[in-house]
Coordinates of all heavy atoms in Angstrom, one line a residue:
I278 N -17.1 -3.9 8.8 CA -17.2 -4.8 7.7 C -18.0 -4.2 6.6 O -19.0 -3.5 6.8 CB -17.9 -6.1 8.2 CG1 -17.0 -6.9 9.1 CG2 -18.4 -6.9 7.0 CD1 -17.6 -8.2 9.7
R279 N -17.5 -4.4 5.3 CA -18.3 -4.0 4.2 C -19.0 -5.2 3.6 O -18.3 -6.3 3.4 CB -17.4 -3.3 3.1 CG -16.7 -2.0 3.7 CD -15.6 -1.6 2.8 NE -14.5 -2.6 2.8 CZ -13.3 -2.5 2.1 NH1 -13.1 -1.4 1.3 NH2 -12.4 -3.4 2.1
P280 N -20.2 -5.2 3.2 CA -20.9 -6.4 2.8 C -20.4 -7.1 1.6 O -20.5 -8.3 1.4 CB -22.4 -6.0 2.6 CG -22.3 -4.5 2.5 CD -21.1 -4.0 3.3
N281 N -19.7 -6.3 0.7 CA -19.1 -6.8 -0.6 C -17.7 -7.3 -0.5 O -17.1 -7.5 -1.5 CB -19.3 -5.8 -1.7 CG -18.5 -4.5 -1.4 OD1 -18.4 -4.2 -0.2 ND2 -18.1 -3.9 -2.4
C282 N -17.2 -7.3 0.8 CA -15.8 -7.7 0.9 C -15.5 -8.7 2.0 O -16.2 -8.8 3.0 CB -15.0 -6.4 1.4 SG -15.1 -5.1 0.2
R283 N -14.4 -9.5 1.8 CA -13.9 -10.3 2.9 C -12.5 -9.7 3.3 O -11.6 -9.8 2.5 CB -13.8 -11.7 2.5 CG -13.2 -12.5 3.7 CD -13.3 -14.1 3.5 NE -12.2 -14.5 2.7 CZ -11.7 -15.8 2.9 NH1 -12.2 -16.6 3.8 NH2 -10.7 -16.2 2.2
D284 N -12.5 -9.1 4.5 CA -11.2 -8.7 5.0 C -10.5 -9.9 5.7 O -11.3 -10.7 6.4 CB -11.4 -7.6 6.1 CG -12.0 -6.3 5.6 OD1 -12.2 -6.4 4.3 OD2 -12.3 -5.5 6.3
T285 N -9.2 -10.1 5.6 CA -8.6 -11.3 6.1 C -7.8 -11.1 7.4 O -7.2 -12.0 8.0 CB -7.7 -12.0 5.1 OG1 -6.9 -11.0 4.5 CG2 -8.6 -12.7 4.1
Y286 N -7.8 -9.8 7.9 CA -7.2 -9.5 9.1 C -5.8 -10.0 9.3 O -5.4 -10.8 10.3 CB -8.1 -10.0 10.3 CG -9.4 -9.2 10.3 CD1 -10.5 -9.8 9.8 CD2 -9.4 -7.9 10.8 CE1 -11.7 -9.0 9.7 CE2 -10.6 -7.1 10.8 CZ -11.7 -7.8 10.2 OH -12.9 -7.1 10.2
H287 N -4.9 -9.7 8.3 CA -3.5 -9.8 8.7 C -3.1 -9.0 9.8 O -2.3 -9.5 10.7 CB -2.7 -9.4 7.4 CG -1.2 -9.3 7.7 ND1 -0.5 -10.5 8.1 CD2 -0.4 -8.3 7.6 CE1 0.8 -10.1 8.3 NE2 0.9 -8.9 8.0
L288 N -3.8 -7.9 10.0 CA -3.6 -7.1 11.2 C -5.0 -6.7 11.7 O -5.9 -6.4 10.8 CB -2.9 -5.8 10.9 CG -1.5 -5.9 10.2 CD1 -0.9 -4.5 9.8 CD2 -0.5 -6.6 11.0
F289 N -5.2 -6.5 13.0 CA -6.4 -6.0 13.5 C -6.0 -4.6 14.1 O -5.3 -4.5 15.3 CB -7.1 -6.8 14.5 CG -8.4 -6.3 15.0 CD1 -9.6 -6.5 14.3 CD2 -8.5 -5.5 16.1 CE1 -10.8 -6.0 14.7 CE2 -9.7 -4.9 16.5 CZ -10.8 -5.2 15.8
V290 N -6.2 -3.5 13.4 CA -5.8 -2.2 13.8 C -6.9 -1.4 14.4 O -7.9 -1.2 13.8 CB -5.2 -1.5 12.6 CG1 -4.7 0.0 13.0 CG2 -4.0 -2.3 11.9
V291 N -6.6 -0.9 15.6 CA -7.6 0.1 16.2 C -6.9 1.5 16.2 O -5.7 1.5 16.0 CB -8.0 -0.3 17.7 CG1 -8.7 -1.6 17.7 CG2 -6.7 -0.4 18.6
Q292 N -7.7 2.5 16.3 CA -7.1 3.9 16.4 C -7.7 4.6 17.6 O -8.9 4.5 17.9 CB -7.6 4.7 15.1 CG -6.9 4.0 13.8 CD -7.5 4.6 12.6 OE1 -7.8 5.9 12.5 NE2 -7.6 3.9 11.5
L293 N -6.8 5.2 18.3 CA -7.2 5.9 19.6 C -6.2 7.0 19.9 O -5.0 6.9 19.5 CB -7.4 5.0 20.8 CG -6.2 4.4 21.5 CD1 -6.6 4.0 22.8 CD2 -5.6 3.3 20.7
K294 N -6.6 8.0 20.6 CA -5.8 9.2 20.9 C -4.5 8.8 21.7 O -3.4 9.1 21.3 CB -6.6 10.3 21.7 CG -7.5 11.0 20.8 CD -6.9 12.4 20.5 CE -7.3 13.0 19.1 NZ -8.5 12.5 18.4
N295 N -4.7 8.1 22.8 CA -3.5 7.8 23.6 C -2.9 6.4 23.4 O -2.7 5.7 24.3 CB -3.8 8.1 25.1 CG -5.3 7.7 25.5 OD1 -5.9 7.2 24.6 ND2 -5.6 8.0 26.7
R296 N -2.6 6.2 22.1 CA -2.1 4.9 21.7 C -0.9 4.5 22.4 O -0.8 3.3 22.9 CB -1.9 5.0 20.2 CG -1.4 3.8 19.5 CD 0.1 3.6 19.3 NE 0.9 4.7 19.0 CZ 1.3 5.1 17.7 NH1 0.7 4.5 16.7 NH2 2.1 6.1 17.5
D297 N 0.1 5.4 22.6 CA 1.4 5.0 23.2 C 1.2 4.5 24.6 O 1.8 3.5 25.0 CB 2.4 6.1 23.1 CG 2.9 6.4 21.7 OD1 2.9 5.5 20.9 OD2 3.2 7.6 21.4
N298 N 0.3 5.2 25.3 CA 0.1 4.7 26.7 C -0.6 3.4 26.8 O -0.3 2.6 27.6 CB -0.7 5.8 27.5 CG 0.1 7.0 27.8 OD1 1.4 6.9 27.8 ND2 -0.5 8.1 27.9
L299 N -1.6 3.2 25.9 CA -2.2 1.9 25.9 C -1.3 0.8 25.5 O -1.3 -0.3 26.1 CB -3.4 1.9 24.8 CG -4.1 0.5 24.7 CD1 -4.7 0.1 26.0 CD2 -5.2 0.6 23.6
K300 N -0.4 1.0 24.6 CA 0.6 0.0 24.2 C 1.5 -0.4 25.4 O 1.7 -1.6 25.7 CB 1.5 0.5 23.0 CG 2.4 -0.5 22.5 CD 3.1 0.0 21.3 CE 3.9 -1.1 20.5 NZ 5.0 -1.6 21.3
K301 N 1.9 0.6 26.2 CA 2.7 0.3 27.4 C 1.9 -0.4 28.4 O 2.4 -1.3 29.0 CB 3.2 1.7 28.0 CG 4.4 2.3 27.3 CD 4.9 3.5 28.0 CE 5.5 4.4 26.9 NZ 5.3 5.9 27.3
F302 N 0.6 0.0 28.6 CA -0.3 -0.6 29.6 C -0.5 -2.1 29.2 O -0.4 -3.0 30.1 CB -1.6 0.1 29.6 CG -2.5 -0.3 30.7 CD1 -2.3 0.1 32.0 CD2 -3.6 -1.1 30.5 CE1 -3.1 -0.3 33.1 CE2 -4.4 -1.5 31.5 CZ -4.2 -1.1 32.8
L303 N -0.7 -2.4 28.0 CA -0.9 -3.7 27.5 C 0.4 -4.5 27.8 O 0.3 -5.7 28.3 CB -1.2 -3.8 26.0 CG -2.6 -3.3 25.5 CD1 -2.7 -3.2 24.0 CD2 -3.7 -4.2 26.0
F304 N 1.5 -4.0 27.5 CA 2.8 -4.7 27.7 C 3.0 -5.0 29.1 O 3.4 -6.1 29.5 CB 3.9 -3.8 27.1 CG 5.2 -4.6 27.1 CD1 5.5 -5.4 26.0 CD2 6.2 -4.5 28.1 CE1 6.7 -6.1 25.9 CE2 7.4 -5.2 28.0 CZ 7.7 -6.0 27.0
K305 N 2.6 -4.1 30.0 CA 2.8 -4.4 31.4 C 1.9 -5.5 31.9 O 2.2 -6.2 32.8 CB 2.3 -3.1 32.2 CG 3.5 -2.4 32.9 CD 3.0 -1.3 33.9 CE 3.3 0.1 33.3 NZ 2.4 1.0 33.9
N306 N 0.8 -5.7 31.1 CA -0.2 -6.8 31.5 C 0.1 -8.0 30.5 O -0.8 -8.8 30.3 CB -1.6 -6.3 31.3 CG -2.0 -5.4 32.4 OD1 -2.3 -5.8 33.5 ND2 -1.9 -4.1 32.2
K307 N 1.3 -8.1 30.1 CA 1.8 -9.2 29.3 C 1.0 -9.5 28.0 O 0.7 -10.6 27.6 CB 1.7 -10.5 30.1 CG 2.6 -10.5 31.4 CD 3.0 -11.8 31.9 CE 2.4 -12.3 33.1 NZ 2.7 -13.6 33.6
I308 N 0.7 -8.3 27.4 CA 0.1 -8.4 26.1 C 0.9 -7.6 25.0 O 1.2 -6.5 25.2 CB -1.4 -7.9 26.1 CG1 -2.3 -8.7 27.1 CG2 -2.0 -7.8 24.7 CD1 -3.5 -8.0 27.5
E309 N 1.3 -8.3 24.0 CA 2.1 -7.7 23.0 C 1.3 -7.0 21.9 O 0.4 -7.7 21.3 CB 3.1 -8.7 22.4 CG 4.1 -8.1 21.5 CD 5.0 -9.2 20.9 OE1 4.8 -10.4 20.9 OE2 6.1 -8.8 20.3
S310 N 1.6 -5.8 21.6 CA 0.8 -5.2 20.4 C 2.0 -4.5 19.6 O 3.1 -4.5 20.0 CB -0.1 -4.1 20.9 OG 0.5 -3.1 21.7
N311 N 1.6 -4.0 18.4 CA 2.6 -3.5 17.5 C 2.0 -2.2 16.7 O 0.8 -2.0 16.7 CB 2.9 -4.5 16.4 CG 4.2 -5.2 16.8 OD1 5.2 -4.6 17.0 ND2 4.2 -6.6 16.7
I312 N 2.9 -1.5 16.1 CA 2.5 -0.4 15.3 C 3.0 -0.5 13.9 O 4.1 -0.6 13.6 CB 3.1 1.0 15.9 CG1 2.6 1.1 17.3 CG2 2.6 2.1 15.0 CD1 3.4 2.2 18.1
H313 N 2.0 -0.6 13.0 CA 2.3 -0.8 11.5 C 1.7 0.4 10.8 O 0.6 0.4 10.4 CB 1.6 -2.1 11.0 CG 2.1 -3.3 11.7 ND1 1.3 -3.8 12.7 CD2 3.1 -4.1 11.4 CE1 2.0 -5.0 13.1 NE2 3.1 -5.1 12.4
Y314 N 2.4 1.5 10.6 CA 3.9 1.7 10.9 C 4.0 3.0 11.6 O 3.3 4.0 11.2 CB 4.7 1.6 9.6 CG 4.5 0.2 9.0 CD1 3.5 0.0 8.0 CD2 5.2 -0.9 9.4 CE1 3.3 -1.3 7.5 CE2 5.0 -2.1 8.8 CZ 4.0 -2.3 7.9 OH 3.8 -3.6 7.3
P315 N 4.9 3.2 12.5 CA 5.0 4.4 13.3 C 5.4 5.7 12.4 O 5.0 6.8 12.8 CB 6.0 4.1 14.4 CG 6.7 2.9 13.9 CD 5.9 2.2 12.9
I316 N 6.3 5.5 11.4 CA 6.7 6.6 10.6 C 6.2 6.4 9.1 O 6.6 5.4 8.5 CB 8.3 6.7 10.5 CG1 8.8 6.8 11.9 CG2 8.6 8.0 9.6 CD1 10.4 6.8 11.9
P317 N 5.2 7.3 8.7 CA 4.7 7.1 7.3 C 5.9 7.2 6.3 O 6.9 8.0 6.6 CB 3.7 8.3 7.2 CG 3.5 8.8 8.5 CD 4.6 8.4 9.4
I318 N 5.8 6.6 5.2 CA 7.0 6.5 4.3 C 7.4 7.9 3.9 O 8.6 8.3 3.8 CB 6.6 5.7 3.0 CG1 6.4 4.2 3.5 CG2 7.8 5.6 2.1 CD1 5.9 3.3 2.4
H319 N 6.4 8.8 3.6 CA 6.8 10.2 3.1 C 7.5 11.0 4.2 O 8.1 12.0 3.9 CB 5.6 10.9 2.5 CG 4.6 11.3 3.6 ND1 4.0 10.5 4.4 CD2 4.2 12.6 3.9 CE1 3.2 11.2 5.2 NE2 3.3 12.4 5.0
K320 N 7.5 10.5 5.4 CA 8.2 11.2 6.5 C 9.6 10.6 6.8 O 10.3 11.1 7.7 CB 7.4 11.1 7.8 CG 6.1 12.0 7.8 CD 6.5 13.4 7.9 CE 5.2 14.4 7.9 NZ 5.6 15.8 7.8
Q321 N 9.9 9.6 6.1 CA 11.3 9.0 6.2 C 12.3 10.1 5.5 O 12.0 10.6 4.5 CB 11.4 7.7 5.5 CG 10.5 6.6 6.1 CD 11.1 6.0 7.4 OE1 12.3 6.4 7.8 NE2 10.4 5.0 7.9
K322 N 13.4 10.2 6.2 CA 14.4 11.2 5.7 C 15.0 10.9 4.4 O 15.4 11.8 3.6 CB 15.6 11.2 6.7 CG 15.1 11.8 8.1 CD 16.1 12.8 8.6 CE 15.6 13.6 9.8 NZ 15.3 12.8 10.9
I323 N 14.9 9.7 3.9 CA 15.4 9.3 2.6 C 14.7 9.9 1.4 O 15.2 10.0 0.3 CB 15.4 7.8 2.4 CG1 14.1 7.1 2.8 CG2 16.6 7.0 3.0 CD1 13.9 5.7 2.4
F324 N 13.4 10.4 1.7 CA 12.7 11.1 0.6 C 13.1 12.6 0.7 O 12.5 13.3 1.5 CB 11.2 10.8 0.7 CG 10.9 9.4 0.3 CD1 10.7 8.4 1.3 CD2 10.8 9.1 -1.0 CE1 10.4 7.2 0.9 CE2 10.5 7.8 -1.4 CZ 10.4 6.8 -0.4
K325 N 13.9 13.0 -0.3 CA 14.5 14.3 -0.2 C 13.6 15.3 -0.9 O 13.7 16.5 -0.6 CB 15.9 14.3 -0.8 CG 16.8 13.5 0.0 CD 18.3 13.9 -0.2 CE 19.2 13.1 0.7 NZ 19.3 11.7 0.2
Y326 N 12.8 15.0 -1.8 CA 12.0 15.9 -2.5 C 10.8 16.4 -1.6 O 10.5 15.8 -0.6 CB 11.5 15.5 -3.8 CG 10.8 14.1 -3.8 CD1 9.5 14.0 -3.4 CD2 11.5 12.9 -4.1 CE1 8.9 12.7 -3.3 CE2 10.9 11.7 -4.0 CZ 9.6 11.6 -3.6 OH 9.0 10.4 -3.6
K327 N 10.2 17.5 -2.0 CA 9.2 18.1 -1.2 C 8.0 17.1 -1.0 O 7.5 16.6 -2.0 CB 8.7 19.3 -1.9 CG 7.9 20.2 -1.0 CD 7.6 21.6 -1.7 CE 6.6 22.4 -0.8 NZ 5.3 21.8 -0.5
N328 N 7.6 16.9 0.2 CA 6.6 15.9 0.4 C 5.2 16.5 0.6 O 5.1 17.6 1.2 CB 7.0 15.0 1.6 CG 7.9 13.9 1.1 OD1 7.6 13.2 0.2 ND2 8.9 13.7 1.9
P329 N 4.2 15.9 0.2 CA 2.8 16.4 0.4 C 2.5 16.3 1.9 O 3.1 15.5 2.6 CB 2.0 15.5 -0.4 CG 2.7 14.2 -0.5 CD 4.2 14.5 -0.4
V330 N 1.5 17.0 2.3 CA 0.9 16.8 3.6 C -0.2 15.8 3.4 O -1.1 15.9 2.5 CB 0.3 18.1 4.2 CG1 -0.3 17.8 5.6 CG2 1.4 19.1 4.3

Side-chain angles (χ1 to χ4, degrees):
I278 287 177
R279 298 166 294 180
N281 60 330
C282 298
R283 178 167 87 147
D284 301 356
T285 46
Y286 296 99
H287 171 60
L288 309 172
F289 186 84
V290 177
V291 295
Q292 297 174 31
L293 74 159
K294 284 259 152 15
N295 32 8
R296 183 265 321 268
D297 290 332
N298 288 336
L299 175 60
K300 187 170 189 297
K301 279 183 211 147
F302 188 79
L303 289 170
F304 191 82
K305 250 194 252 156
N306 287 280
K307 299 208 250 177
I308 297 162
E309 189 181 14
S310 59
N311 261 311
I312 301 165
H313 301 93
Y314 300 92
I316 305 172
I318 300 175
H319 71 299
K320 288 287 182 190
Q321 295 281 1
K322 293 225 167 62
I323 43 171
F324 288 99
K325 294 208 177 66
Y326 51 83
K327 197 172 174 300
N328 277 311
V330 177

